[in-house]
Amino acid sequence: MEQLYNYLPRELVTFILVTLFSLLIGLSQRRISLKREGEITLFGTDRTFTFIGILGYLLYILDPVELRLFMGGGAVLGILLGLNYYVKQSQFHVFGVTTIIIALITYCMAPIVITQPSWFYIMIIVTVLLLTELKHTFTELAQRMKNDEMITLAKFLAISGIILPMLPNENLIPNINLTPYSIWLATVVVSGISYLSYLLKRYVFQESGVLVSGIIGGLYSSTATISVLARKSRKAPEQEAGEYVAAMLLAVSMMFLRFMVLILIFSWSTFLTIYPFLLIMAFSTATVGWVIHSRQQRLHDQSAEPEDDDSSNPLEFKVALIFAILFVIFTILTHYTLVYAGTGGLNLLSFVSGFSDITPFILNLLQNSGSVAVLTIAACSMQAIISNIMINMCYALFFSGRGSKLRPWILRGFGTVIGINLLVLIVFYLL
């Protein structure tokens, strides 16, 4: 926008921008007001808001230093808006001050365009238009919220913005890189990713099918998602058995992407080493899942049913406490394994960690990248992931029940994925 000043008078460009922005806001108000309230209660729409913006521009440029004209015009406009609100409230019982606030923002558009960079006033216009148009969306979102949803959000803001900066960054145990700050930082990052997937599952893909549930659930916890899908598969018809296994494998593929994000956050050097192999693993796992989805016989006359919300809140205190405890345990185990057993012991520990949540183990390796070689971290991370996939296969077999129709699909699907991932790990070692 600033480049236009080199070819056109500054006053002309500013006047056109203020008029255009005011008109856009007025058009938005006309559409919303006509739909919901009717012409009888309107303060003004397209032309009124355009004239408000022009009035603010004129009064501002006539006295740009003292701003007495601009402030006086704002006071008169405020009185008129207040009288209009009083009439609407007393005679028509229409409440709400959104239109009044938007009118005042429109009046202030001129000094904003004149004094601020283009990205700033365009951001204001976009924000006003979006918030105006999304009223019904916000209403539906509020109706779908749980009673404690805002408390959950407050918890996340507290643990990330209040508690984390206050924690000391000094080692709790001599010679072991374990500080209260590093423990809580890992907890905050993992909780943030889990909380995002929780919100997507609950508010964006709430009525999704089995496949989408597997994809979104894999961002939160592949183990929990596979266990839930396996339990639900007991009531599913035989024709949908492959659908559940495909969803489980898609959850596993999303687990690779989740760890790629965590590795990128905590260790750039490790990310550059491992990301091609994790991408291959994720793509091959998703491909196997999609092949199973394509081959299984589906019921064409049955629509997808919404999944029950079985996932626990990722910001529950006990979840964060368990993660922090596991992080401390794996930090101590990793340190003494390196001291007494070397790299070989660390490789063994990576496979053993697959029997529990592998996220604390991998994050601990990433935060100790200064004392452990990058190749070792990458290898141990992939080994832990493959070990965890084997455990997830056992969970799927167990929770689906004895004699389940899913067993052949689980053995073929997970067996193929494990074989491919082991092959990728061998290639990593050879390179």
Side-chain angles (χ1 to χ4, degrees), residues 183 320-330:
I183 297 172
L321 181 61
I322 292 174
F323 179 88
I325 293 174
L326 288 174
F327 186 85
V328 173
I329 292 174
F330 278 114

Side-chain angles (χ1 to χ4, degrees), residues 61-284:
I61 63 173
L62 290 176
D63 186 15
V65 180
E66 299 292 337
L67 297 178
R68 288 173 293 187
L69 291 176
F70 183 78
M71 290 187 292
V76 173
L77 177 63
I79 294 173
L80 293 176
L81 292 172
L83 291 174
N84 174 262
Y85 178 76
Y86 174 76
V87 172
K88 288 198 303 181
Q89 180 182 2
S90 59
Q91 295 187 10
F92 304 105
H93 303 288
V94 177
F95 300 90
V97 294
T98 303
T99 304
I100 295 177
I101 295 176
I102 294 177
L104 294 175
I105 293 175
T106 305
Y107 181 76
C108 297
M109 190 55 60
I112 294 175
V113 172
I114 293 173
T115 61
Q116 301 300 316
S118 59
W119 66 265
F120 183 78
Y121 54 73
I122 292 177
M123 179 183 66
I124 292 178
I125 295 299
V126 171
T127 303
V128 171
L129 294 177
L130 284 178
L131 292 179
T132 302
E133 296 291 332
L134 292 176
K135 179 179 180 180
H136 280 317
T137 303
F138 292 145
T139 302
E140 295 174 359
L141 182 64
Q143 292 174 348
R144 292 168 58 181
M145 280 186 176
K146 291 182 178 179
N147 294 333
D148 59 347
E149 203 66 73
M150 298 308 296
I151 297 178
T152 301
L153 177 60
K155 288 180 182 178
F156 179 72
L157 295 177
I159 66 175
S160 59
I162 299 177
I163 299 178
L164 181 62
M166 296 174 59
L167 293 176
N169 198 15
E170 299 177 356
N171 289 340
L172 297 173
I173 304 175
N175 301 323
I176 297 181
N177 187 17
L178 182 65
T179 67
Y181 183 85
S182 64
I183 297 172
W184 205 250
L185 175 62
T187 304
V188 168
V189 172
V190 175
S191 297
I193 296 176
S194 300
Y195 186 49
L196 176 61
S197 64
Y198 167 80
L199 294 177
L200 288 175
K201 178 66 176 67
R202 176 160 183 82
Y203 297 108
V204 181
F205 301 104
Q206 186 180 27
E207 298 182 356
S208 60
V210 177
L211 289 181
V212 177
S213 297
I215 294 173
I216 302 300
L219 291 174
Y220 167 46
S221 172
S222 59
T223 301
T225 302
I226 289 172
S227 301
V228 170
L229 290 174
R231 287 197 302 267
K232 290 182 178 180
S233 67
R234 298 181 180 183
K235 301 179 181 179
E238 185 175 358
Q239 293 88 340
E240 294 185 355
E243 192 83 355
Y244 282 89
V245 177
M248 295 177 191
L249 294 178
L250 290 177
V252 173
S253 68
M254 296 306 296
M255 176 185 66
F256 288 107
L257 300 181
R258 174 162 55 92
F259 280 117
M260 283 182 59
V261 174
L262 292 176
I263 293 172
L264 175 63
I265 293 174
F266 286 95
S267 178
W268 174 251
S269 59
T270 305
F271 175 79
L272 293 178
T273 302
I274 200 175
Y275 84 90
F277 301 95
L278 291 184
L279 279 179
I280 294 173
M281 291 178 171
F283 178 76
S284 60

Side-chain angles (χ1 to χ4, degrees), residues 15-85:
F15 176 77
I16 293 175
L17 290 177
V18 171
T19 304
L20 178 61
F21 293 153
S22 303
L23 178 60
L24 289 176
I25 295 175
L27 289 173
S28 175
Q29 288 301 303
R30 173 177 285 278
R31 195 191 71 81
I32 299 297
S33 299
L34 286 176
K35 182 178 180 181
R36 296 174 185 173
E37 296 181 3
E39 287 283 359
I40 195 171
T41 60
L42 291 179
F43 168 77
T45 52
D46 39 25
R47 292 184 303 168
T48 303
F49 278 82
T50 304
F51 288 136
I52 289 176
I54 294 175
L55 176 65
Y57 173 75
L58 294 176
L59 295 180
Y60 181 82
I61 63 173
L62 290 176
D63 186 15
V65 180
E66 299 292 337
L67 297 178
R68 288 173 293 187
L69 291 176
F70 183 78
M71 290 187 292
V76 173
L77 177 63
I79 294 173
L80 293 176
L81 292 172
L83 291 174
N84 174 262
Y85 178 76

